[in-house]
Structures are given as C-alpha cells and as structure tokens.
Amino acid sequence: MKHGYGVERFTNGDTFMGDYQEGKPDGFGEYYWSTGAYYKGQFKNGLRNGKGIWKKSELGDQYEGDYINDMKDG
C-alpha cells in the first residue's frame, strides 16, 4: 500500500494497523507485537516518531511520551 490506511500482519505474529505513506507506516498507527506489547501513536518513515504510548502488556510497564527515530525521548 502506497498511501492511506492499512493492516499488515507479519509472519512473526506482529500486526500493524494505521496510516501508510510510500509503503511505510507514516501518521497515526497501532503496532502489536506477538508478545502482547503494543504501541499506539505517531510514525514517520516506518519508525515511531512523535507522541505515543508503549505498553509491555495489559498490566505491564508503560511509557507515554515522545519518540525520535524509534527511540524513547524523555
């Protein structure tokens, strides 16, 4: 998918749902790892960039804040 909204399921069990630009997550999206962890927030060029929430699991560790090039910033 070049532009728009889409859902991608990977062979490792991970799933991405959200906005795409040029075939990469770009805009708002939700990424779910097969381990139960998830991230909901902004993406740019396929990486977490901007505001978002990452949770290790429903009851586990959580980070809410900024990301730059897929790394927590704050």
Side-chain angles (χ1 to χ4, degrees):
M1 167 172 287
K2 288 211 176 237
H3 303 289
Y5 181 87
V7 176
E8 189 169 359
R9 291 180 179 84
F10 303 97
T11 56
N12 64 0
D14 294 356
T15 302
F16 173 79
M17 299 181 293
D19 299 322
Y20 280 87
Q21 193 77 262
E22 298 301 320
K24 296 179 186 176
D26 199 313
F28 183 82
E30 301 177 18
Y31 194 100
Y32 297 88
W33 285 268
S34 62
T35 61
Y38 65 86
Y39 170 80
K40 295 179 182 181
Q42 295 296 315
F43 287 82
K44 185 160 179 71
N45 293 320
L47 301 175
R48 294 175 287 181
N49 273 291
K51 300 266 182 221
I53 298 172
W54 171 85
K55 283 191 89 170
K56 187 173 183 175
S57 66
E58 259 328 292
L59 301 173
D61 297 337
Q62 176 176 321
Y63 170 79
E64 184 171 352
D66 294 323
Y67 283 82
I68 296 177
N69 293 324
D70 224 30
M71 303 293 293
K72 297 174 190 171
D73 184 46

